[in-house]
Amino acid sequence: MTVDEYAGRCEELFALGGYAQVRAAAGQGLAEVGPDPVLQRWLGLAHAAEEDDDHDDEAEAVYKEGLRRWPDDLGLLVSYLELCLRADAWENPGRKKRAESLKERIAELAPPGSPEAQRVEAAMGWAGRGYWEDVRTESDRALSERAARASLSADVGRGVSDGGPAAAHPEDLRAAEVAAALELLSGPWNAPLRLVARYRVPSYVAAIGLAIVTNKVLVGSGAVTFSLWGWFWYLPLLLAELKLKHARQLARERVIAAVETRHTLDS
C-alpha cells in the first residue's frame, strides 16, 4: 500500500472515532513504507484524540520525533500546536510555553488565509475561551447528543413498526445504530422500553404528569410530608436513553470493524 492509501484509511477511521485503529494503521504504514510526515501526524492525532494524559505524552513524543525529521512540516507543527494549547499550564508548563514558538514558526511558513493559518486561528480562539464559553460548549454538545438520540429513537420506532431493521450496507452508521438499538431492545422484558423509544415525546409528557400526580397523592394521603417517589416514573425513560447510547457506541464499533475488513480485503 502507498502512503496515500494508508492516510486515507487513517482519515476514514479517525472520522468514526476509531483512534486505536488509526494508530495501528499509521504504525503499519510507517513500518511498511518508512518514515513519512503524514502518517507520523496521524499517529500523533490518534493519541491526542483520546484526551488522556498518557496519550498526550505519547502524542508529544510522536510530534517531536516527526519534527526532528521534518522541522518545517506544517501538518506536524499545527497538530503539535493544538496539543500544546490544550495542555494545562500547571501540569505541563513546558508544553504550554512551547505553543508560542510553534505559533511563530507556523506564521513564517504559512501565509495568511492558508488552511494551516486558519487552523491556528481556530486553535487560538479555542484556547482563549473563558469559563462560561466552556460551559456553553459543553451544553451545546449535550444538546447535540440528546438530539442525536431523539433522532435515533424515531428511527427505532419505525423499525419496530416494520418488524425489524431494513437491509443496509454494513458501513451505514445510522442503519447500524438502528439495528443495534433494536437488538438491545429485543425480548419481552424490554417491551416497555421499546414503547418508550417508539413514543418518546408522549412518554416524557406522561412521566411528568404521573410524577406530579403520584407525589401529590402520597403527600395528600399523609403517607409522607414530602415526596420524590413519583419521579421513579422516569426510570423507563432513563433506561431507554442508556440503551440508545449503548447502541450508538456498539454501532460505531461494528462500522469500524466493517471498514477495517474492507481495507484488509483491498490490500
Side-chain angles (χ1 to χ4, degrees):
M1 289 178 60
T2 65
V3 169
D4 288 344
E5 287 172 331
Y6 273 114
R9 179 187 294 192
C10 290
E11 184 174 7
E12 196 171 2
L13 291 168
F14 192 89
L16 290 168
Y19 306 130
Q21 291 80 4
V22 173
R23 293 194 294 274
Q28 182 181 345
L30 289 168
E32 182 177 324
V33 303
D36 179 82
V38 174
L39 295 179
Q40 191 80 12
R41 172 177 167 270
W42 277 117
L43 182 58
L45 286 172
H47 276 297
E50 298 285 4
E51 296 187 358
D52 173 85
D53 289 344
D54 290 338
H55 278 287
D56 284 350
D57 292 342
E58 291 289 342
E60 182 171 34
V62 169
Y63 292 144
K64 283 183 174 180
E65 180 185 349
L67 289 171
R68 278 195 294 269
R69 291 176 178 269
W70 307 280
D72 295 337
D73 185 84
L74 282 168
L76 287 168
L77 286 166
V78 174
S79 297
Y80 191 14
L81 171 65
E82 290 171 339
L83 178 70
C84 291
L85 288 173
R86 201 181 69 196
D88 186 281
W90 291 99
E91 294 182 2
N92 294 287
R95 189 179 298 168
K96 196 73 174 179
K97 289 179 181 177
R98 207 167 289 119
E100 193 59 35
S101 61
L102 288 168
K103 182 185 173 186
E104 292 173 358
R105 184 58 182 151
I106 294 168
E108 295 173 4
L109 297 170
S114 65
E116 291 80 9
Q118 291 173 2
R119 276 186 63 188
V120 170
E121 290 178 9
M124 294 300 292
W126 176 88
R129 293 182 309 180
Y131 172 78
W132 290 112
E133 289 172 305
D134 284 339
V135 170
R136 194 180 305 115
T137 299
E138 287 301 318
S139 176
D140 290 344
R141 185 180 303 172
L143 288 173
S144 176
E145 175 66 22
R146 193 167 181 181
R149 288 201 300 272
S151 176
L152 174 58
S153 180
D155 289 345
V156 168
R158 284 189 286 272
V160 171
S161 300
D162 296 340
H169 194 281
E171 295 179 23
D172 184 330
L173 182 58
R174 173 39 62 96
E177 289 176 344
V178 173
L182 289 173
E183 178 184 320
L184 294 174
L185 291 170
S186 64
W189 53 88
N190 280 320
L193 302 187
R194 287 198 299 275
L195 190 65
V196 167
R198 188 174 181 181
Y199 302 105
R200 192 169 187 270
V201 174
S203 296
Y204 270 94
V205 173
I208 292 174
L210 288 168
I212 292 173
V213 170
T214 300
N215 288 332
K216 283 188 175 182
V217 168
L218 288 173
V219 173
S221 67
V224 294
T225 57
F226 177 74
S227 173
L228 293 175
W229 289 102
W231 296 108
F232 272 91
W233 288 106
Y234 261 93
L235 187 58
L237 280 75
L238 293 176
L239 291 175
E241 291 287 348
L242 288 175
K243 291 279 189 180
L244 293 177
K245 183 178 181 179
H246 184 199
R248 295 189 70 208
Q249 180 59 38
L250 181 60
R252 194 172 301 276
E253 292 171 1
R254 290 175 176 175
V255 171
I256 289 171
V259 169
E260 286 200 293
T261 299
R262 170 168 55 82
H263 282 300
T264 300
L265 295 174
D266 290 345
S267 60

